Amino acid sequence: QIPTTLLNSVIAVCKLSDDLYSDRETGVTVRSVSTSVGAMNVIFCWFGGLPMCHGAGGLAGQHRFGARTNLSILVLGGIKLLLGLVAAAPLLALLRFFPSGILAALLAISSFELASSARSALNADPDSVRLCLLTCCFTLFYNTAVGICAGLVAAYVVTLSATVVGNEESVAEARADLRERIHSLRSRVRRNKGDEHSQSLESGLDVGSKGQETVFSVRT
């Protein structure tokens, strides 16, 4: 369950969000999504809530049927909450007779939308296509954990072998690309640490200013 949740409800959600809404800043990050999933389960389990998570399939389905902002989710959640409060028993009885064919059609449309986000990998270089197909095969015939491990191992092997195998030009290009990736990763880590540090400083300044206001009001 851990690799399935990590991939589908965290990594895939962030990647799909970047692909679908690349023209604007969504604020969807691995940290924010994973924190949201953890908070939902830690809080609502004490109230009888079932395990919950975000899902790339749900995001793809919402986008396919016209959603473009978080307002659609707020409206959908409000309607569900209202129906659950006023007509829970009749709706539950009605859902037992819900045609499975309609559900299958809706899920198929969502799956096609989700699969279409992988077209960038299939249009890339041959190594990316092979890695995509390899991960798909291991995931289908085994499980998500085996699939992601096989894909990661193969990706690392391909990346490292390209830095030592081939002609001088391709090896130099592969080494430069690897250095660029490492530099990008380090920059991202530093940026995340800097954001955390700035947030802690801002919260400290807020606390300090509130304390000064309190002292000033007491003296006054």
Side-chain angles (χ1 to χ4, degrees):
Q1 184 61 38
I2 291 177
T4 301
T5 302
L6 180 64
L7 291 172
N8 181 61
S9 62
V10 179
I11 298 177
V13 168
C14 296
K15 182 64 172 64
L16 183 61
S17 177
D18 292 338
D19 291 342
L20 295 178
Y21 310 108
S22 57
D23 57 335
R24 65 175 186 261
E25 181 65 30
T26 61
V28 178
T29 63
V30 172
R31 175 169 299 177
S32 64
V33 175
S34 58
T35 302
S36 175
V37 173
M40 284 192 301
N41 289 280
V42 169
I43 294 174
F44 289 106
C45 69
W46 301 101
F47 302 95
L50 296 174
M52 297 176 290
C53 66
H54 303 292
L59 176 59
Q62 293 284 340
H63 180 83
R64 179 64 180 80
F65 289 106
R68 293 297 181 270
T69 66
N70 58 353
L71 180 61
S72 62
I73 303 299
L74 296 176
V75 173
L76 178 62
I79 293 175
K80 287 182 177 181
L81 181 61
L82 180 62
L83 292 177
L85 291 175
V86 301
L91 283 176
L92 184 60
L94 180 63
L95 288 176
R96 293 176 180 174
F97 301 97
F98 189 82
S100 57
I102 297 178
L103 179 61
L106 296 176
L107 292 176
I109 294 174
S110 298
S111 65
F112 289 147
E113 181 68 24
L114 184 60
S116 65
S117 63
R119 61 182 178 271
S120 59
L122 297 177
N123 294 331
D125 58 281
D127 288 336
S128 298
V129 176
R130 297 188 190 100
L131 289 174
C132 181
L133 295 178
L134 175 69
T135 305
C136 288
C137 290
F138 274 91
T139 302
L140 288 174
F141 290 104
Y142 294 95
N143 54 55
T144 307
V146 175
I148 186 60
C149 289
L152 286 175
V153 170
Y156 292 145
V157 170
V158 170
T159 301
L160 294 177
S161 62
T163 61
V164 294
V165 179
N167 54 50
E168 295 182 0
E169 183 179 356
S170 62
V171 169
E173 183 179 355
R175 291 178 179 177
D177 182 63
L178 181 60
R179 285 193 295 268
E180 183 179 355
R181 291 184 183 183
I182 295 175
H183 178 71
S184 176
L185 179 60
R186 288 177 177 175
S187 300
R188 186 177 304 175
V189 172
R190 293 194 192 101
R191 185 168 60 251
N192 291 335
K193 290 183 177 180
D195 292 341
E196 291 179 355
H197 182 64
S198 62
Q199 290 176 1
S200 62
L201 287 178
E202 290 177 0
S203 61
L205 291 174
D206 291 339
V207 172
S209 62
K210 291 180 180 178
Q212 291 178 359
E213 292 176 359
T214 303
V215 172
F216 179 75
S217 62
V218 170
R219 289 178 179 177
T220 303

